[in-house]
Amino acid sequence: MVQVRGQDDIGGSGLLRFADGTEVIVTAHVTKEGTPQEDSPGSIRQRLEVETERIARGNQSFAVNSGMRINVYQPQLKNESDQQASAARRFRYGERLRFPARVSPPRNYRNPGAFDYRGYLAENGIVALASVKSSSVEVLPGFAGSRTEFWRARVHRSIIDKVHALWPPREAALMDAMVIGEDAFINRPTRADFQRSGTYHVLVVSGMNVSILALVTFWFLRRLRVSDLLAGAITVALMMSYAWLTALGAPVWRATLMLALYLGARLLYREKSMLNAIGAAALGLMIVNPQVLFGASFQLTFLCVWLVAAVGIPILERTTQPFVRGSRNIDSMAYDFVLPARVVQFRLDLRMIAGRLRRFAGHRLPLPVLAGAARTLLVTGELLLISVVMQIGLALPMAYYFHRATVVGLPANMLVVPLMELLMPAAVAAMALGYVSHALAKIPVLIAGFALEGIAGTVRWLGGLRIADLRVPTPGTALILLSVLAIALAMALVRRRPWLAAGGLAALAASALWISMVPPRPQIRPAVLEMTAVDVGQGDSILLISPTGRILLVDAGGLPQWVHSDLDIGEDVVSPYLWSRGISHLDAVAITHAHADHKGGAAAILANFRPRELWLGDPSDPEMKALRQQAQELGVRVVQHQAGDEFDFGGAEVRILAPGAQDLAARRNDESLVMKLVYGKTSALLEGDAERKAEQQIAEEQPEADLLKVAHHGSATSTIPLLLDRVHPRFAVISVGERNTYGHPRGEVLARLGEARVLTYRTDLDGAVTFYLDGKTVISGLPRAEVH
């Protein structure tokens, strides 16, 4: 299949030859609908995926078939008529559109450990991006696409509308995500709470949803005296319809395929083996698309079931399962003869206790109640054991892919999963009845709402605990191999002698504890001063590591508010780079000034790396209020630095050149915290966003340096000739975003650097750039950017 599977036409890259920044006219049809949502007060945004048909540039027109993702936005809805017009403009699957756009290719942040966003989009057939104003989109006559997909999208949209008619907005947003797979209304803080509590699998439609619905459906049909064959066929057909309706791809189809295999084995009177079912499902999926083997979703799903089937169930078979079976038919003496002696003794003990209770509770009630209570306790213990096995077994992939140790995952799932088993059938019943009558749907709506409140409350409570937000660096190769070996050892020994089984489980638990609690050794060079300009797009983030290993992060990147993006540069870009290097703690974070492209990611950095100090030029700045408050809550000491400060930082001398006390009233780029770091005979000057006025003052402060971090992303208002003449750097680096709207770096700045014979690097072209100052010379290099 690797050899014969061709690339999907929708993923053709022909569109990229028009991604030069000039406006073109795109004719396309919608392949994936988006849900309109309020992007900010007074504006609405809808994300669509389209397949292009033609691209027109000037007087020329070209046939181009490529996948494209567009953000259609409607700004500033000022009155009710505008709102109604916007609500009517919901673009549907198969509609043909024409619109002007500037096409741009998706770009990865080029740092080690960065997420492969371009590859992710390519897997979904998307090769280019664009933003389009809603009023400039023209709907053309005709339909393009599959009628089957058209009806699927129409039913999917109808169900979402029904959800929002039955539940209030906050509950409806969670119901959309948990039941039908529509996450457009879920905000980032809600996602973070589910991630911290280790219950994120509940927020997205997954194999668990399929399992719950299949169990309820099959049980209900059997209660109606439907035959095994028909009940199994109906259950599989309904689950296939559910997988088709949610259109979430591999995760749901995996579970549906396993369900079909499992029920098929049952109908053929074969022993139902979870390992055989998961093996067949895995092979089937890999035949269709071999690349799924390397996806996090595939690995997590199969490791979960593997842990349950190969570790959890064998333990239960040796411990609780015989007693669970023994708690059934408790009044049957004949059943005693086919059970092990210890289970028979258990049954005799229950009968003896029930005999004593008959004096007070009658003859019929005590024995069934005792047996039911014993079975409930045993099953609860089984759920606890399975949860423990899954938590420790998933420690490795959770650390590798998500950099999280789900400390509260065990109690959270113990509370959330049973509520999910109540929510799923109640929500589906409510939606089905809602098409008949809202009055009929009231009871299941209340039941689902009760379960949802329980889930949300548990997630807010446990996810809000400080201990829940335990972040961990990427495990090293040796630790990964040892963890894999521990998982294999636990699976191999679990059916052996008790002490061997206990040893395998102890090895698995030890590997999980090591991953969660023992930080790896950071990847740093000893006895040198390192400066790395991290690629954060149009912003700044500079990593400094002192000769003795102390770590300082200067700025944390960020996006301006007008971008309207859920991307958190601190969480999604800077933190993964630091974790990829084994860094779990920072000694200090410095924020040069209160602009979003420098401080926007700082909140995530403080939470993830808990530095000892936060350096600010002006702690009283009102725009820093939230950051100061967060630092106080985390126990981070806020330190003010101004021009004239000099101190040692891990063997390197730090000199603060700006701002001076007289600069703090300006509230502009000229108030940036400017620092010079000196190690031996080598030095680096970091300017923040200092402009002409500040640079004139810096030029009087003996700013000579081998390495210059160019101010304000290469703006024409900075890097004045006087400063260059006084600094006289050999190397320079510009932190700047690709195709930014400001035109940075400006040509005149690059010309000045060239005339001064400065070897200049740029993060938009070179990605993350690292310099090593060994006290005698400066070594420059570009780290190899690995993507995940």
Side-chain angles (χ1 to χ4, degrees):
M1 285 303 299
V2 171
Q3 294 296 323
V4 304
R5 189 170 183 262
Q7 186 176 10
D8 197 343
D9 289 340
I10 196 173
S13 59
L15 185 59
L16 293 180
R17 61 191 172 111
F18 300 98
D20 56 3
T22 60
E23 189 173 83
V24 296
I25 304 298
V26 180
T27 302
H29 58 268
V30 179
T31 57
K32 186 175 182 180
E33 297 183 9
T35 301
Q37 54 185 309
E38 190 174 35
D39 192 33
S40 61
S43 66
I44 288 180
R45 177 167 56 97
Q46 181 180 180
R47 189 175 74 182
L48 304 174
E49 292 182 8
V50 301
E51 182 178 357
T52 61
E53 298 174 4
R54 300 199 70 81
I55 304 294
R57 174 189 282 169
N59 296 324
Q60 294 181 304
S61 179
F62 306 89
V64 178
N65 296 105
S66 293
M68 185 177 183
R69 176 175 288 178
I70 60 174
N71 279 311
V72 182
Y73 62 94
Q74 171 69 63
Q76 298 300 320
L77 303 179
K78 297 179 180 179
N79 51 55
E80 186 175 348
S81 62
D82 287 342
Q83 293 175 3
Q84 291 175 351
S86 176
R89 191 175 283 276
R90 292 180 60 174
F91 301 102
R92 311 298 192 187
Y93 174 85
E95 282 188 330
R96 299 181 66 247
L97 311 175
R98 181 188 293 132
F99 52 86
R102 286 183 171 87
V103 178
S104 62
R107 179 181 183 271
N108 290 337
Y109 289 94
R110 297 167 62 186
N111 308 306
F115 174 63
D116 186 9
Y117 180 57
R118 185 187 296 116
Y120 164 76
L121 290 178
E123 288 177 0
N124 291 275
I126 305 298
V127 299
L129 309 171
S131 291
V132 185
K133 187 178 290 188
S134 177
S135 58
S136 64
V137 179
E138 177 188 359
V139 180
L140 303 177
F143 172 86
S146 162
R147 285 293 174 183
T148 302
E149 177 60 21
F150 169 79
W151 283 106
R152 189 211 65 79
R154 186 171 180 178
V155 173
H156 187 271
R157 187 168 62 245
S158 173
I159 292 175
I160 292 174
D161 292 340
K162 184 59 64 178
V163 167
H164 285 259
L166 293 172
W167 286 280
R170 187 180 69 84
E171 292 184 1
L174 290 172
M175 288 290 183
D176 283 340
M178 294 179 180
V179 179
I180 200 64
E182 176 58 65
D183 61 354
F185 301 100
I186 302 294
N187 57 34
R188 185 164 189 131
T190 299
R191 294 178 191 273
D193 282 342
F194 278 87
Q195 290 169 346
R196 283 195 293 267
S197 63
T199 57
Y200 189 70
H201 60 97
V202 171
L203 190 62
V204 295
V205 172
S206 63
M208 184 179 67
N209 304 63
V210 175
S211 302
I212 293 171
L213 289 177
L215 175 65
V216 172
T217 301
F218 190 80
W219 177 86
F220 180 73
L221 291 171
R222 292 297 292 138
R223 297 290 80 75
L224 294 179
R225 306 288 184 179
V226 177
S227 68
D228 269 9
L229 177 61
L230 185 56
I234 293 174
T235 300
V236 172
L238 288 177
M239 293 311 101
M240 291 180 67
S241 300
Y242 181 67
W244 171 76
L245 183 62
T246 57
L248 293 175
V252 179
W253 282 110
R254 280 197 297 263
T256 303
L257 180 55
M258 289 181 64
L259 170 71
L261 291 167
Y262 205 69
L263 289 177
R266 185 178 189 275
L267 291 172
L268 296 173
Y269 302 100
R270 299 298 302 271
E271 182 180 351
K272 298 177 288 295
S273 166
M274 288 181 68
L275 288 177
N276 285 346
I278 192 174
L283 289 173
L285 288 167
M286 286 190 291
I287 288 172
V288 175
N289 179 11
Q291 295 300 321
V292 299
L293 178 62
F294 304 102
S297 175
F298 181 94
Q299 294 172 15
L300 283 166
T301 297
F302 283 95
L303 182 56
C304 278
V305 185
W306 205 1
L307 289 166
V308 172
V311 179
I313 288 179
I315 295 175
L316 299 183
E317 289 174 346
R318 299 177 64 168
T319 54
T320 60
Q321 277 295 296
F323 294 96
V324 171
R325 289 191 292 269
S327 65
R328 299 188 179 98
N329 303 316
I330 191 68
D331 55 351
S332 173
M333 299 293 184
Y335 190 38
D336 291 354
F337 291 97
V338 299
L339 297 173
R342 58 187 179 130
V343 178
V344 175
Q345 184 61 54
F346 167 70
R347 290 163 63 88
L348 291 174
D349 290 341
L350 289 179
R351 290 171 189 153
M352 181 186 68
I353 297 171
R356 299 292 178 87
L357 293 176
R358 285 187 181 122
R359 301 177 184 178
F360 312 101
H363 286 273
R364 300 183 59 182
L365 192 60
L367 189 56
V369 170
L370 275 175
R375 187 161 55 250
T376 300
L377 289 174
L378 289 167
V379 170
T380 302
E382 290 181 345
L383 179 59
L384 179 62
L385 176 64
I386 292 293
S387 298
V388 169
V389 169
M390 290 181 63
Q391 291 297 320
I392 62 177
L394 291 174
L396 175 60
M398 289 298 294
Y400 186 83
Y401 289 113
F402 307 111
H403 302 289
R404 289 189 180 275
T406 51
V407 178
V408 298
L410 178 59
N413 280 285
M414 289 290 292
L415 297 172
V416 165
V417 171
L419 289 171
M420 193 66 184
E421 293 172 354
L422 178 64
L423 181 144
M424 282 298 296
V428 171
M431 286 183 279
L433 292 173
Y435 282 99
V436 179
S437 166
H438 280 203
L440 293 175
K442 282 186 177 180
I443 293 178
V445 163
L446 290 174
I447 294 173
F450 166 77
L452 185 64
E453 285 299 322
I455 292 172
T458 300
V459 168
R460 284 195 301 269
W461 169 45
L462 292 174
L465 297 176
R466 181 170 175 177
I467 194 176
D469 203 18
L470 181 60
R471 311 307 296 273
V472 294
T474 305
T477 303
L479 183 54
I480 290 174
L481 294 175
L482 287 174
S483 298
V484 172
L485 180 62
I487 294 173
L489 195 64
M491 294 178 179
L493 298 180
V494 72
R495 295 183 183 274
R496 305 295 179 181
R497 293 184 178 182
W499 65 271
L500 287 173
L505 292 175
L508 184 59
S511 69
L513 188 64
W514 189 280
I515 290 170
S516 303
M517 300 300 177
V518 181
R521 180 177 298 178
Q523 300 172 18
I524 62 177
R525 287 193 185 185
V528 298
L529 173 63
E530 176 190 332
M531 186 188 112
T532 296
V534 184
D535 179 14
V536 292
Q538 185 68 14
D540 265 16
S541 187
I542 308 295
L543 175 67
L544 293 162
I545 303 178
S546 78
T548 62
R550 297 190 67 190
I551 305 174
L552 164 67
L553 185 74
V554 180
D555 289 327
L559 297 173
Q561 188 176 3
W562 56 264
V563 173
H564 303 308
S565 172
D566 286 336
L567 185 70
D568 184 328
I569 298 295
E571 172 69 29
D572 302 326
V573 180
V574 181
S575 291
Y577 170 68
L578 298 177
W579 285 322
S580 75
R581 295 190 55 177
I583 296 173
S584 58
H585 176 75
L586 296 174
D587 293 286
V589 171
I591 302 300
T592 57
H593 62 295
H595 282 173
D597 58 336
H598 293 252
K599 77 176 182 68
I605 295 299
L606 293 184
N608 292 339
F609 297 93
R610 310 292 170 93
R612 294 187 181 93
E613 295 180 342
L614 172 63
W615 299 355
L616 301 175
D618 180 13
S620 63
D621 188 337
E623 294 188 31
M624 294 287 193
K625 180 179 179 180
L627 202 59
R628 294 196 311 271
Q629 183 176 352
Q630 182 189 12
Q632 183 179 4
E633 293 172 354
L634 294 174
V636 178
R637 187 164 70 97
V638 178
V639 179
Q640 180 179 11
H641 284 302
Q642 291 187 7
D645 291 353
E646 294 187 11
F647 53 92
D648 177 81
F649 184 78
E653 181 185 356
V654 180
R655 301 173 187 172
I656 305 300
L657 306 184
Q662 70 277 10
D663 301 321
L664 295 181
R667 306 294 186 213
R668 298 173 301 171
N669 288 329
D670 280 330
E671 69 176 357
S672 290
L673 185 65
V674 178
M675 61 182 73
K676 179 180 176 181
L677 290 95
V678 180
Y679 178 52
K681 297 181 179 180
T682 54
S683 56
L685 178 64
L686 281 67
E687 286 198 85
D689 273 0
E691 297 187 351
R692 182 175 291 107
K693 178 182 176 181
E695 287 192 337
Q696 289 173 345
Q697 297 176 2
I698 295 168
E700 305 301 323
E701 300 294 333
Q702 297 181 342
E704 299 89 355
D706 301 286
L707 171 60
L708 173 66
K709 200 292 293 183
V710 174
H712 202 195
H713 323 293
S715 167
T717 59
S718 303
T719 321
I720 61 176
L722 175 64
L723 181 80
L724 274 180
D725 183 60
R726 297 289 176 86
V727 176
H728 195 60
R730 294 170 50 211
F731 300 95
V733 61
I734 306 174
S735 184
V736 63
E738 187 178 51
R739 301 176 184 271
N740 65 84
T741 59
Y742 309 100
H744 295 162
R746 299 300 295 267
E748 52 266 44
V749 173
L750 294 175
R752 288 199 289 267
L753 289 167
E755 291 170 3
R757 297 180 181 275
V758 180
L759 181 58
T760 303
Y761 294 87
R762 298 167 45 172
T763 57
D764 61 334
L765 300 179
D766 303 315
V769 186
T770 297
F771 302 88
Y772 299 104
L773 290 70
D774 63 4
K776 298 179 181 179
T777 186
V778 178
I779 302 172
S780 63
L782 305 177
R784 182 169 58 91
E786 298 176 353
V787 293
H788 299 284

